[in-house]
Amino acid sequence: MERTPECPNCGAEALGDFCAACGQQQGELFPTLGEWLKSALNELFVVDRKLFRTLQKLAWPPGELTLEWKRGRRSTYVAPFRLYLATALFFFLGFHDSSLQDILSGFTAGYVEGAGSTGPEAAQIELGTRILTETLPGVLMVVLVPLFALFLKSANRMHGTYVEHLVTALNYHAFAFLVWVLAGGLDALFGDRDPGLILALVLNSVFLVATIARVQTVGVVRASIRAVFVAAAYFAVSLATVGAALVVVLGI
């Protein structure tokens, strides 16, 4: 069958191997089984290569994936929001048994204890705690990323577009999700929360400083100050959100 002069997907003129309007590959509409398998495998390996390149740039050097986005090299890598969603899903599959959940559960228990004897019944506490530890983290991760980007922009004296800082925030969270997954693996290996928790806190802190230093082109000292500001603001908002949720869910 001869190549069609128009793209069968969008109807635009298709002169090359790919449609200039929608990007669909041109050629035989009904390939042989061998050709179809070859095309499917090629697409699979292209995706794998793109993911590998993306994770490589995400991990090292810090901030490089964001810089590549700012340079306009975007088709080579997984899109920032898609990468964020994929790593978030990967993280939350194991969140129910992570040190982060332990921290949130401990905060909830301390809040309930501080409420004294006028607090809710045990059944309500149990239900509220489960809702908070299983639902709230996901909500926080989605809602607070735009705020994290705003804090980054504020720390940079409002230089750069908000979208640039949002891409930095998405990439940083993607890295943090993978680090917490690694921390969970260490928890399971050693049967102790401390090694994984310490590793996650150190890696994420160092990575944030290094990312700000490279993306915002400042020295380590200035990047550290900005990282402290961003982390403190992020923690304060997270704490306030958890406290508000406790008041609403537990009624105390």
Side-chain angles (χ1 to χ4, degrees):
M1 182 182 295
E2 296 183 359
R3 182 186 298 272
T4 58
E6 295 183 350
C7 173
N9 183 58
C10 67
E13 185 178 7
L15 300 178
D17 293 331
F18 296 89
C19 175
C22 70
Q24 176 169 293
Q25 186 173 7
Q26 305 301 297
E28 298 288 348
L29 290 178
F30 303 99
T32 64
L33 177 61
E35 292 171 338
W36 183 83
L37 288 174
K38 180 179 179 180
S39 176
L41 289 174
N42 182 62
E43 290 183 6
L44 176 62
F45 289 126
V46 165
V47 172
D48 285 347
R49 288 197 296 269
K50 178 181 286 191
L51 179 60
F52 177 78
R53 285 194 299 266
T54 302
L55 293 177
Q56 186 180 36
K57 292 293 185 180
L58 174 67
W60 188 263
E64 182 64 19
L65 189 59
T66 299
L67 292 176
E68 286 285 84
W69 183 89
K70 293 178 68 174
R71 295 171 188 136
R73 300 170 185 168
R74 301 172 187 177
S75 295
T76 306
Y77 307 101
V78 178
F81 189 65
R82 182 177 297 179
L83 177 66
Y84 166 79
L85 290 179
T87 52
L89 177 61
F90 189 40
F91 166 73
F92 282 111
L93 287 176
F95 176 78
H96 67 280
D97 190 33
S98 69
S99 52
L100 273 182
Q101 189 184 47
D102 288 347
I103 294 174
L104 187 55
S105 298
F107 179 80
T108 303
Y111 185 92
V112 171
E113 183 179 351
S117 58
T118 59
E121 298 295 332
Q124 183 182 352
I125 294 176
E126 182 180 356
L127 174 61
T129 301
R130 187 167 67 251
I131 292 174
L132 288 173
T133 56
E134 294 179 2
T135 305
L136 185 61
V139 175
L140 288 177
M141 292 298 181
V142 173
V143 172
L144 295 186
V145 168
L147 285 177
F148 192 91
L150 182 61
F151 298 148
L152 283 172
K153 185 174 176 62
S154 299
N156 196 30
R157 298 181 181 179
M158 307 305 288
H159 293 169
T161 66
Y162 176 75
V163 174
E164 293 175 19
H165 295 289
L166 182 59
V167 170
T168 303
L170 289 170
N171 288 337
Y172 173 74
H173 278 76
F175 176 84
F177 284 139
L178 295 178
V179 169
W180 282 111
V181 171
L182 175 62
L186 289 179
D187 291 344
L189 179 63
F190 292 102
D192 185 3
R193 299 294 195 194
D194 291 341
L197 179 61
I198 294 173
L199 175 68
L201 293 176
V202 170
L203 282 181
N204 287 334
S205 299
V206 172
F207 190 82
L208 179 59
V209 173
T211 296
I212 291 176
R214 296 196 74 243
V215 173
Q216 299 184 3
T217 59
V218 295
V220 175
V221 174
R222 185 171 296 179
S224 300
I225 295 174
R226 294 182 181 184
V228 170
F229 165 76
V230 172
Y234 188 68
F235 179 76
V237 173
S238 301
L239 199 62
T241 305
V242 172
L246 284 168
V247 172
V248 173
V249 175
L250 300 181
I252 54 177

